[in-house]
Amino acid sequence: MLNYYFIKEPNLYNRSVHIVGFMHSSIPNNTLPKIETIYIDLTKTEEELYTKLHRSNRKQINKASSYGFHIEVLTQPTIEDIREFQTFYNQFAKQTKTYSCDSFHLSTMRLLVDQNALIITKLLNESEVVQCYRVYISDGDIAFSLYSASHFRLSNKTEEKRKLSEGSRYLLWRNILYFKEHNHLTYDMGGLTTNENIWKFKMEFGGEVISVYSGYEANSMIGKLVLWLRSVKMTKG
């Protein structure tokens, strides 16, 4: 099995393997699900990007900048870095009742590190405690938001929840500027969902909604069997 990210031209992938996976391909494909994502044009100036932010978003980002947060960017994360993220994310996944980051996802991230394509960013408070994570796949042109996690739901204090929510927006904004500064052309928000809150959050960063294609293609009977078994498992949750 091979996975391909951000395919921009047709037939630029290996058909000799049992299964080919696609993530956010821009090539129309009738056999793959079409999904919507948000692209932010990083060729715009910082001022233009800031102006595109929703007014309330700008206000929250500005407030978060005064809280003493600082950001770490890991361009060559170690397996320990990835496992620390996995532990943090799975606490988040349990609270939000979403899929956990399991051994398969861990292996995928390790393979991406080998391709110099995985970047982990984290927001820390003044006590050096991680507040939020964001994980990206990068091909040098596109920065794709693979994971994001914050523990604001674990707090019982309203003020602390608000501060963490603002910190999450601040981390995302600073990441957008980081990838712009490192000559990326596009920031991909990672796909829109039917969750109204997530949809609103992503739209408030001022990008453009576009269609991309993600999914799997089988090139053999073995591949078809594996994808069928996967569909059965997904149906059962």
Side-chain angles (χ1 to χ4, degrees):
M1 176 178 174
L2 286 175
N3 283 318
Y4 290 89
Y5 299 88
F6 327 132
I7 291 287
K8 303 176 184 69
E9 297 181 32
N11 302 319
L12 291 182
Y13 53 90
N14 187 344
R15 296 178 182 272
S16 65
V17 295
H18 293 297
I19 298 172
V20 179
F22 299 91
M23 176 69 78
H24 284 216
S25 168
S26 59
I27 304 301
N29 188 325
N30 293 331
T31 65
L32 297 177
K34 181 170 71 171
I35 61 176
E36 289 185 330
T37 188
I38 298 177
Y39 272 10
I40 295 175
D41 182 0
L42 299 183
T43 65
K44 294 182 181 296
T45 66
E46 180 178 337
E47 182 180 359
E48 288 173 324
L49 292 172
Y50 185 77
T51 301
K52 287 287 186 178
L53 297 174
H54 189 278
R55 183 176 60 183
S56 66
N57 208 15
R58 292 198 297 265
K59 182 178 179 181
Q60 292 182 70
I61 289 169
N62 289 337
K63 287 183 68 176
S65 67
S66 67
Y67 291 152
F69 291 136
H70 66 279
I71 294 169
E72 289 186 12
V73 178
L74 307 178
T75 57
Q76 285 290 323
T78 65
I79 183 58
E80 288 77 16
D81 294 324
I82 295 172
R83 284 178 175 153
E84 286 177 8
F85 161 74
Q86 181 188 37
T87 299
F88 186 99
Y89 182 86
N90 285 342
Q91 288 181 285
F92 161 82
K94 185 176 180 180
Q95 290 294 318
T96 57
K97 296 180 173 58
T98 190
Y99 293 106
S100 63
C101 180
D102 60 21
S103 58
F104 172 80
H105 303 110
L106 199 70
S107 297
T108 299
M109 285 190 280
R110 294 183 70 173
L111 289 170
L112 288 166
V113 170
D114 293 340
Q115 298 294 319
N116 295 315
L118 189 77
I119 296 176
I120 296 178
T121 69
K122 50 186 176 179
L123 182 81
L124 299 92
N125 64 15
E126 294 172 315
S127 301
E128 299 295 316
V129 176
V130 178
Q131 307 294 291
C132 315
Y133 268 102
R134 299 195 74 89
V135 178
Y136 296 93
I137 301 172
S138 165
D139 69 351
D141 290 332
I142 296 176
F144 170 82
S145 180
L146 183 63
Y147 292 106
S148 64
S150 172
H151 283 178
F152 75 90
R153 293 176 181 83
L154 296 178
S155 175
N156 295 320
K157 298 179 180 179
T158 302
E159 178 64 19
E160 188 173 337
K161 282 179 178 285
R162 181 187 58 76
K163 190 173 181 178
L164 286 175
S165 177
E166 292 165 350
S168 178
R169 292 172 183 269
Y170 178 65
L171 177 62
L172 175 49
W173 169 242
R174 288 286 301 276
N175 286 172
I176 290 170
L177 296 183
Y178 170 85
F179 288 113
K180 174 179 171 54
E181 290 165 4
H182 287 77
N183 302 316
H184 287 67
L185 304 177
T186 304
Y187 185 99
D188 186 334
M189 293 289 282
L192 292 170
T193 72
T194 56
N195 185 304
E196 185 177 343
N197 291 330
I198 295 176
W199 188 91
K200 181 180 177 183
F201 174 84
K202 292 184 176 183
M203 290 298 295
E204 287 183 351
F205 283 84
E208 177 184 1
V209 177
I210 68 160
S211 295
V212 291
Y213 300 82
S214 294
Y216 298 95
E217 285 186 351
N219 296 318
S220 67
M221 291 304 297
I222 292 175
K224 290 179 181 178
L225 175 61
V226 170
L227 292 185
W228 177 78
L229 291 171
R230 178 179 182 272
S231 68
V232 171
K233 181 179 180 181
M234 295 291 285
T235 301
K236 292 181 177 179

